[in-house]
Amino acid sequence: MKRVGIVLLCMFMPIATAFAEQTKTLSVDVLWQLSRLGNPTISPNGDYIIAPVTNYDVPEDKGSTQLWLFDKEGNSQRPITAQGLRVSEPTFSPDSNTLAFISKRDKDEAGQVYLLPMNSPGEAQRLTEVPSGAYGIKWVGEHIYFISSVFPGKNWDQVAEQLKADKDDKVSAHQWNALPYSSFDHWLDEDREAHVFRIPAKGGDIEPITQPLNKQLPRSSQSAASYDIDPAEGFIAFNSNGWDNQVDAKIDIFLAKIGSGKVENLTPNNQAPDANPTFSPDGKTLAFTRQTIHGFYADTAKLILLDVNKRSEKVIAKDWDRSVARFVWTPDSKGFYAAIDDAATRRIFHINAKNGKVKAITKATNFGMPALANDGTLVAANDSFMFPARLVKINPRNGSSTRLDSFNDEILADIDVGTYESVTYKGYNDQDIQMWVHYPPGFDRSKKYPLMMLIHGGPHSAISDGFHYRWNAQTFASWGYVTAWPNFHGSNSFGQDFADSINPDWKNKSLEDVFKATEWFKQKDWIDNDRLVAGGASYGGYLTSIILGQKEQPFNALFIHAAVYNMYSQMAADFSVHSTRFGNYWDKPEIYKAISPHYGAENFNTPTLVVHGQLDYRVPVGQGFELFRTLQTRGVESKMIYFPDENHWIMKPNNSIYWYNQVEQWMNSFAEPGAK
């Protein structure tokens, strides 16, 4: 196998750095220079737009977030919180005069609610001193509502004492008597419960809202989307487990009159999740999303409207084959704007609450959660494969957008980010498959390029037209590769049947889609069929491991990150994938044996780079080491990269730079980059 000279360059400096300095491409170093704009919020009167902006200090290996204030005409932008801190969840008062947010500063042991006046200069003032921290805030009427994870039966002083005792305890053991015990990258404390509280916005005593109801928020995750308060502050609607089984929780929506001590399960008959409770501005209707297949997280989520007084519900847009998510009521309570995944693009839609009519507002590129003012001003973050998130104002009549920020313009001004396009090819059973194709800077169709096939995770997700920091196809392309993201069978945003088509057989349809995508490229004059590589993470790592186990496959080398490699030992994860819907491996061993990658080990002979993080509880680190040991035992050229301080994703700046450089070195070793 020919080894290329560029690999020797890493003896002196990272490959990506050297290449970027020569060609000014979207290198990993550029990725970590960019300001990362989050979803905006807008004041009720439309005068103020706030968005969090995160920047990273690579030498210090840390990031900080500031809140920035924008003019809705795009004339100005300025930070309103200090540098070097972490802030999140900007939330306006109903009168638009004050901004609440979460921050940890000064001597705070945990995140607290801070208040900042919008119409006068001054520093933000801390409102809460909650020892267990505050998050998931909402400002309704005279109160600010928040979530805190507390010890049942203990007052705030006792909570503080317990937290200090736990911190000072020299015993590091965790103990559980029941599931769940972890979520993605952190252990769950069996002795703590997440509850909603409120505090007067002017300050005062904290009042428990859900604690007296003896119903905690879902144990694995909670956020501001887990509950809502009606505008008159009379009722709370919130998510909680609807049965005693914590192994396979039944997420229901509960309704309670605040202070009554009584709670009602609004969704007792549906075993799948009912989520995102949201009161209409007039308080008469509760909207929420509903899935109906228990154990299938990508089941199409329908929008349900419940008449609060009559307790009658209706499904709107019930025949629309897309999942409703990231929605906000219009001020007149007659409809919604929502950012919804549609055929590999996240578009803004309007949904009529009366007749269920759905209208796409935006067309190309991705849009995040919309924010809407009472005067109809609609704003959102907008990104693309070609540019990171920008703040835009959207015209709801025609979908046109006006940019309101100028972040990253100087950095990207002389960066060649190449080009991309969406193509359709014939995959499994001759069915149409959408795929994104990225071309390197200076792409010349008269020459031949290597191919890097990228296999997305999920599997029930999709690669959409947005800017990706962890797996940036244009950064991979900048090394001199054509890169591809096929949205194979199982991908969401193409309808229920397409997403569910790979269950419980995770293997065959997606595998054929990837192989046929590769054949599509091999027919192109500009692809060098002797320089093909592939890689993926999570489910993408799973499918790459399946490729590794095939007797014949087209790739010179593979890259496998955070892979589900052994379907049996995946039972040690916080999510066991197939067991809820299709049965455990002792009940249905034939399913697991048919699709588990480790059964293909006898065919392993392709050079493989394996990467895994210790803090990955979604796909435990043993999966990566099992794969690496098998490769080594079989004498296959392989490398294992282990991150003791990373989870399912590589999040820290220097680790990310190292990750990209190592992937580049590995791929370059088996598929020489650049045109020939």
Side-chain angles (χ1 to χ4, degrees), residues 240-486:
S240 187
N241 190 359
W243 57 24
D244 293 333
N245 179 2
Q246 291 287 354
V247 178
D248 296 309
K250 177 182 181 294
I251 303 303
D252 285 329
I253 293 177
F254 291 79
L255 182 70
K257 185 176 181 180
I258 295 175
S260 70
K262 298 179 181 180
V263 65
E264 174 187 359
N265 188 343
L266 296 177
T267 58
N269 298 321
N270 181 37
Q271 292 192 359
D274 293 284
N276 306 301
T278 309
F279 284 102
S280 59
D282 63 14
K284 296 178 180 179
T285 306
L286 180 70
F288 57 91
T289 58
R290 169 172 290 165
Q291 296 174 304
T292 57
I293 302 176
H294 186 53
F296 181 33
Y297 67 86
D299 182 29
T300 301
K302 298 298 185 180
L303 189 60
I304 310 296
L305 301 186
L306 181 137
D307 186 303
V308 176
N309 292 323
K310 297 179 181 179
R311 296 294 196 273
S312 59
E313 65 177 43
K314 66 175 181 178
V315 185
I316 62 171
K318 63 181 179 180
D319 296 326
W320 189 40
D321 202 8
R322 295 292 183 267
S323 277
V324 177
R326 297 171 290 272
F327 65 88
V328 59
W329 280 96
T330 55
D332 59 8
S333 299
K334 293 182 178 180
F336 307 87
Y337 287 104
I340 294 175
D341 294 321
D342 174 43
T345 300
R346 183 169 295 168
R347 313 180 202 279
I348 300 294
F349 285 84
H350 178 267
I351 304 173
N352 188 298
K354 183 177 181 179
N355 59 25
K357 184 178 179 181
V358 176
K359 178 185 177 182
I361 302 300
T362 61
K363 296 179 181 179
T365 69
N366 274 11
F367 290 81
M369 174 77 181
L372 184 63
N374 291 335
D375 65 0
T377 302
L378 181 66
V379 296
N382 171 225
D383 63 321
S384 160
F385 285 122
M386 296 291 101
F387 55 83
R390 300 169 172 175
L391 178 64
V392 297
K393 182 171 62 174
I394 302 165
N395 184 329
R397 293 186 298 276
N398 58 23
S400 65
S401 61
T402 302
R403 190 177 174 191
L404 303 181
D405 79 291
S406 59
F407 287 108
N408 302 314
D409 287 354
E410 290 187 16
I411 295 174
L412 296 175
D414 57 353
I415 298 295
D416 188 344
V417 292
T419 58
Y420 76 106
E421 65 174 327
S422 175
V423 303
T424 301
Y425 69 94
K426 297 297 183 180
Y428 170 81
N429 201 28
D430 209 33
Q431 294 174 347
D432 286 345
I433 302 297
Q434 186 273 340
M435 177 168 62
W436 300 105
V437 182
H438 292 256
Y439 302 99
F443 177 74
D444 184 343
R445 288 180 179 267
S446 68
K447 298 180 179 180
K448 288 185 177 293
Y449 293 82
L451 171 70
M452 185 182 296
M453 178 65 64
L454 302 175
I455 305 173
H456 74 67
H460 307 298
S461 60
I463 293 299
S464 57
D465 188 3
F467 199 83
H468 302 267
Y469 285 96
R470 296 192 308 272
W471 283 66
N472 191 292
Q474 281 295 326
T475 297
F476 296 142
S478 75
W479 303 341
Y481 294 85
V482 172
T483 61
W485 280 118

Side-chain angles (χ1 to χ4, degrees), residues 492-545:
N492 69 1
S493 81
F494 296 92
Q496 175 82 3
D497 290 344
F498 192 81
D500 205 15
S501 65
I502 66 167
N503 293 314
D505 178 7
W506 265 17
K507 174 183 174 182
N508 290 295
K509 293 180 182 179
S510 304
L511 178 66
E512 186 169 335
D513 288 342
V514 170
F515 280 168
K516 286 193 172 180
T518 308
E519 286 299 317
W520 184 89
F521 280 103
K522 290 174 71 174
Q523 301 304 312
K524 306 302 179 185
D525 293 337
W526 35 269
I527 288 294
D528 186 341
N529 294 340
D530 293 326
R531 293 186 288 162
L532 309 178
V533 292
S538 195
Y539 173 84
Y542 161 89
L543 198 57
T544 309
S545 299

